[in-house]
Protein backbone atom coordinates (compact mmCIF):
# COMPACT_ATOMS: atom_id res chain seq x y z
CA UNK A 1 0.00 0.00 0.00
CA UNK A 2 1.22 3.50 -0.80
CA UNK A 3 1.78 5.91 2.00
CA UNK A 4 4.10 8.01 4.09
CA UNK A 5 6.25 6.43 6.78
CA UNK A 6 7.64 8.48 9.61
CA UNK A 7 10.07 7.06 12.08
CA UNK A 8 10.51 6.77 14.93
CA UNK A 9 7.07 7.28 16.46
CA UNK A 10 8.59 8.58 19.71
CA UNK A 11 11.98 10.23 20.14
CA UNK A 12 13.66 11.44 23.28
CA UNK A 13 16.75 13.64 23.29
CA UNK A 14 18.78 15.72 25.68
CA UNK A 15 18.99 19.45 25.19
CA UNK A 16 21.92 20.44 22.98
CA UNK A 17 21.77 17.36 20.77
CA UNK A 18 20.78 17.36 17.12
CA UNK A 19 18.20 14.79 16.07
CA UNK A 20 16.99 13.63 12.66
CA UNK A 21 13.42 12.59 11.90
CA UNK A 22 12.84 10.26 8.98
CA UNK A 23 10.14 10.62 6.33
CA UNK A 24 9.76 8.24 3.39
CA UNK A 25 6.95 8.15 0.81
CA UNK A 26 6.10 5.66 -1.93
CA UNK A 27 3.30 7.69 -3.48
CA UNK A 28 5.54 9.11 -6.21
CA UNK A 29 4.62 12.62 -5.07
CA UNK A 30 6.85 15.52 -6.10
CA UNK A 31 6.18 17.80 -3.15
CA UNK A 32 7.00 17.02 0.47
CA UNK A 33 6.44 19.06 3.61
CA UNK A 34 7.31 19.19 7.28
CA UNK A 35 4.86 20.61 9.79
CA UNK A 36 4.96 21.09 13.50
CA UNK A 37 1.81 20.64 15.59
CA UNK A 38 1.48 22.11 19.09
CA UNK A 39 -1.65 22.00 21.28
CA UNK A 40 -4.10 24.78 20.46
CA UNK A 41 -2.21 25.85 17.33
CA UNK A 42 -2.74 25.05 13.70
CA UNK A 43 -0.12 23.13 11.80
CA UNK A 44 2.88 25.34 11.11
CA UNK A 45 5.08 24.84 8.08
CA UNK A 46 8.77 24.23 8.74
CA UNK A 47 10.17 23.38 5.30
CA UNK A 48 8.89 22.15 1.98
CA UNK A 49 10.36 20.73 -1.19
CA UNK A 50 8.78 20.61 -4.62
CA UNK A 51 11.62 18.85 -6.40
CA UNK A 52 14.70 16.82 -5.61
CA UNK A 53 17.70 18.88 -4.44
CA UNK A 54 15.56 21.95 -3.83
CA UNK A 55 13.68 23.09 -0.73
CA UNK A 56 12.28 26.28 0.77
CA UNK A 57 11.87 27.60 4.28
CA UNK A 58 8.43 27.72 5.77
CA UNK A 59 7.12 29.98 8.49
CA UNK A 60 9.19 28.51 11.34
CA UNK A 61 12.40 27.21 9.74
CA UNK A 62 14.82 28.60 12.33
CA UNK A 63 16.63 25.79 14.15
CA UNK A 64 15.70 23.16 11.56
CA UNK A 65 17.38 21.78 8.44
CA UNK A 66 16.32 19.40 5.67
CA UNK A 67 17.67 17.61 2.64
CA UNK A 68 15.99 16.18 -0.45
CA UNK A 69 18.47 13.90 -2.16
CA UNK A 70 15.83 11.41 -3.32
CA UNK A 71 12.23 11.91 -4.38
CA UNK A 72 11.08 9.43 -1.75
CA UNK A 73 12.90 10.86 1.24
CA UNK A 74 12.75 14.17 3.12
CA UNK A 75 14.52 13.95 6.50
CA UNK A 76 14.24 16.77 9.04
CA UNK A 77 17.04 17.62 11.46
CA UNK A 78 16.11 19.44 14.63
CA UNK A 79 19.25 21.27 15.71
CA UNK A 80 20.32 22.48 19.12
CA UNK A 81 19.52 26.00 17.91
CA UNK A 82 15.78 25.26 17.99
CA UNK A 83 14.65 26.87 21.24
CA UNK A 84 11.51 24.84 21.86
CA UNK A 85 11.84 21.55 19.98
CA UNK A 86 9.41 19.41 21.97
CA UNK A 87 6.43 18.91 19.64
CA UNK A 88 4.57 16.56 17.32
CA UNK A 89 6.15 16.59 13.85
CA UNK A 90 4.21 15.69 10.75
CA UNK A 91 5.53 14.91 7.29
CA UNK A 92 3.26 15.23 4.27
CA UNK A 93 3.37 14.89 0.51
CA UNK A 94 1.29 16.10 -2.40
CA UNK A 95 1.27 15.31 -6.12
CA UNK A 96 0.47 18.79 -7.39
CA UNK A 97 -1.15 22.13 -6.62
CA UNK A 98 -4.81 21.87 -5.73
CA UNK A 99 -4.38 18.36 -4.40
CA UNK A 100 -4.68 17.45 -0.74
CA UNK A 101 -1.73 16.74 1.50
CA UNK A 102 -1.23 13.15 2.57
CA UNK A 103 0.23 12.82 6.05
CA UNK A 104 2.36 10.33 7.88
CA UNK A 105 1.53 9.31 11.45
CA UNK A 106 3.96 11.72 13.01
CA UNK A 107 6.95 11.68 15.33
CA UNK A 108 6.58 12.93 18.87
CA UNK A 109 9.86 14.51 19.93
CA UNK A 110 10.59 15.21 23.56
CA UNK A 111 13.69 17.18 24.48
CA UNK A 112 14.67 17.48 28.14
CA UNK B 1 -3.82 38.33 5.96
CA UNK B 2 -4.57 34.78 4.88
CA UNK B 3 -6.10 32.76 7.68
CA UNK B 4 -8.43 29.92 8.57
CA UNK B 5 -10.70 29.91 11.63
CA UNK B 6 -12.59 26.89 12.88
CA UNK B 7 -15.48 26.86 15.31
CA UNK B 8 -16.37 25.66 17.79
CA UNK B 9 -13.08 24.61 19.38
CA UNK B 10 -14.80 21.68 21.04
CA UNK B 11 -18.17 20.01 20.59
CA UNK B 12 -19.87 17.31 22.65
CA UNK B 13 -22.81 15.51 21.08
CA UNK B 14 -25.04 12.71 22.14
CA UNK B 15 -25.00 9.75 19.80
CA UNK B 16 -27.50 10.50 17.02
CA UNK B 17 -27.48 14.27 17.62
CA UNK B 18 -26.63 15.95 14.30
CA UNK B 19 -24.56 19.14 14.14
CA UNK B 20 -22.19 21.19 11.97
CA UNK B 21 -18.60 22.34 12.23
CA UNK B 22 -17.57 25.63 10.68
CA UNK B 23 -14.43 26.66 8.80
CA UNK B 24 -14.20 30.29 7.72
CA UNK B 25 -11.32 31.51 5.61
CA UNK B 26 -9.81 34.63 4.12
CA UNK B 27 -7.31 33.77 1.42
CA UNK B 28 -6.50 35.17 -1.98
CA UNK B 29 -6.57 32.72 -4.84
CA UNK B 30 -8.21 29.68 -3.29
CA UNK B 31 -6.98 26.51 -4.97
CA UNK B 32 -8.83 24.08 -2.73
CA UNK B 33 -10.35 23.53 0.71
CA UNK B 34 -9.65 20.28 2.52
CA UNK B 35 -11.17 18.54 5.52
CA UNK B 36 -9.20 16.08 7.61
CA UNK B 37 -9.91 13.85 10.59
CA UNK B 38 -7.18 13.45 13.20
CA UNK B 39 -7.19 10.85 15.96
CA UNK B 40 -4.97 11.32 19.04
CA UNK B 41 -1.32 10.60 18.34
CA UNK B 42 -1.85 10.10 14.62
CA UNK B 43 -1.48 12.12 11.45
CA UNK B 44 -4.46 13.81 9.80
CA UNK B 45 -6.54 11.55 7.55
CA UNK B 46 -7.89 13.15 4.40
CA UNK B 47 -11.68 13.35 4.11
CA UNK B 48 -12.79 15.80 1.40
CA UNK B 49 -11.62 18.33 -1.16
CA UNK B 50 -13.85 21.22 -2.24
CA UNK B 51 -12.86 23.56 -5.04
CA UNK B 52 -15.72 25.96 -5.73
CA UNK B 53 -18.65 27.61 -4.00
CA UNK B 54 -21.74 25.44 -4.05
CA UNK B 55 -19.81 22.21 -4.14
CA UNK B 56 -20.78 19.40 -1.76
CA UNK B 57 -19.13 16.08 -0.90
CA UNK B 58 -20.51 13.21 1.19
CA UNK B 59 -19.04 10.20 2.92
CA UNK B 60 -21.10 8.07 5.27
CA UNK B 61 -22.38 10.40 8.03
CA UNK B 62 -20.30 13.38 6.88
CA UNK B 63 -21.15 16.04 4.33
CA UNK B 64 -18.91 18.98 3.46
CA UNK B 65 -20.16 22.15 1.79
CA UNK B 66 -18.41 25.26 0.52
CA UNK B 67 -19.36 28.90 0.09
CA UNK B 68 -17.16 31.82 -0.90
CA UNK B 69 -16.15 32.51 2.69
CA UNK B 70 -16.71 29.33 4.67
CA UNK B 71 -17.16 25.60 4.68
CA UNK B 72 -19.32 23.41 6.87
CA UNK B 73 -18.81 19.83 7.87
CA UNK B 74 -22.23 18.40 8.68
CA UNK B 75 -22.35 15.30 10.85
CA UNK B 76 -25.61 13.39 10.68
CA UNK B 77 -26.56 10.97 13.46
CA UNK B 78 -22.99 10.71 14.78
CA UNK B 79 -21.63 7.61 16.47
CA UNK B 80 -18.93 7.40 19.18
CA UNK B 81 -16.39 6.32 16.55
CA UNK B 82 -16.78 9.75 14.92
CA UNK B 83 -15.04 11.26 17.93
CA UNK B 84 -11.86 12.96 16.70
CA UNK B 85 -10.41 16.36 15.87
CA UNK B 86 -11.54 17.68 12.50
CA UNK B 87 -9.13 19.98 10.70
CA UNK B 88 -9.82 22.37 7.88
CA UNK B 89 -7.12 23.55 5.48
CA UNK B 90 -7.12 25.85 2.49
CA UNK B 91 -4.56 26.05 -0.26
CA UNK B 92 -3.69 29.34 -1.86
CA UNK B 93 0.00 30.05 -2.35
CA UNK B 94 0.58 27.61 0.49
CA UNK B 95 -1.56 25.53 2.82
CA UNK B 96 -3.22 27.26 5.78
CA UNK B 97 -4.64 25.18 8.62
CA UNK B 98 -7.25 25.93 11.25
CA UNK B 99 -6.75 24.83 14.83
CA UNK B 100 -9.42 22.16 14.58
CA UNK B 101 -12.68 21.19 16.26
CA UNK B 102 -12.46 18.46 18.86
CA UNK B 103 -15.61 16.35 18.57
CA UNK B 104 -16.75 13.99 21.29
CA UNK B 105 -19.76 11.77 20.67
CA UNK B 106 -21.24 10.33 23.85
CA UNK B 107 -22.99 6.93 23.69
Amino acid sequence: DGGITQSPKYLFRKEGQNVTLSCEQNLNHDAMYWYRQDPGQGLRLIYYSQIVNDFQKGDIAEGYSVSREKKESFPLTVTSAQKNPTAFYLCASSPAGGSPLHFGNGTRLTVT
Amino acid sequence: EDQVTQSPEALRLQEGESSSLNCSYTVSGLRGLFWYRQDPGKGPEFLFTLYSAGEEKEKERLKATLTKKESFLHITAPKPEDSATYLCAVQAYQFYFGTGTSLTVIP
Side-chain angles (χ1 to χ4, degrees):
Chain A
D1 284 340
I4 299 177
T5 302
Q6 290 188 242
S7 60
K9 186 173 175 64
Y10 299 98
L11 194 51
F12 299 89
R13 280 294 182 270
K14 295 289 188 184
E15 208 171 289
Q17 293 179 334
N18 292 353
V19 60
T20 297
L21 283 59
S22 171
C23 177
E24 302 279 332
Q25 57 104 353
N26 60 4
L27 298 168
N28 200 33
H29 288 171
D30 288 317
M32 297 187 74
Y33 305 78
W34 275 105
Y35 287 90
R36 170 180 172 139
Q37 187 174 37
D38 295 284
Q41 298 196 43
L43 274 67
R44 291 184 291 167
L45 181 63
I46 304 173
Y47 268 97
Y48 66 101
S49 168
Q50 294 180 315
I51 194 170
V52 173
N53 292 324
D54 189 44
F55 46 82
Q56 285 75 42
K57 293 181 179 180
D59 300 317
I60 56 164
E62 185 175 348
Y64 300 98
S65 66
V66 294
S67 62
R68 186 89 186 274
E69 297 177 1
K70 299 186 300 182
K71 187 175 184 177
E72 301 79 17
S73 179
F74 192 41
L76 173 74
T77 297
V78 184
T79 75
S80 56
Q82 167 51 230
K83 297 191 186 314
N84 187 19
T86 294
F88 189 51
Y89 290 88
L90 287 161
C91 179
S93 70
S94 175
S99 298
L101 295 172
H102 298 258
F103 286 90
N105 270 328
T107 292
R108 185 166 297 281
L109 173 65
T110 303
V111 177
T112 57
Chain B
E1 180 187 354
D2 294 334
Q3 64 177 12
V4 177
T5 303
Q6 291 187 248
S7 62
E9 287 186 15
L11 183 62
R12 289 172 63 90
L13 298 173
Q14 292 289 331
E15 184 172 1
E17 179 187 2
S18 301
S19 188
S20 296
L21 283 54
N22 177 263
C23 171
S24 62
Y25 60 92
T26 53
V27 297
S28 302
L30 179 72
R31 300 176 75 181
L33 184 142
F34 310 99
W35 282 99
Y36 292 86
R37 170 191 171 125
Q38 187 175 24
D39 292 300
K42 294 195 171 182
E45 174 190 348
F46 169 69
L47 294 173
F48 302 111
T49 302
L50 300 166
Y51 290 111
S52 55
E55 192 174 357
E56 298 183 354
K57 295 276 180 72
E58 278 191 75
K59 180 180 177 181
E60 296 181 356
R61 295 177 291 283
L62 301 177
K63 182 168 83 171
T65 62
L66 181 64
T67 71
K68 287 188 177 179
K69 293 186 177 180
E70 58 190 349
S71 176
F72 293 93
L73 184 64
H74 307 278
I75 303 177
T76 301
K79 298 182 177 181
E81 53 261 42
D82 295 322
S83 298
T85 295
Y86 291 85
L87 298 175
C88 171
V90 300
Q91 186 186 21
Y93 173 70
Q94 64 179 45
F95 287 90
Y96 300 91
F97 283 84
T99 53
T101 293
S102 176
L103 174 66
T104 303
V105 182
I106 304 161

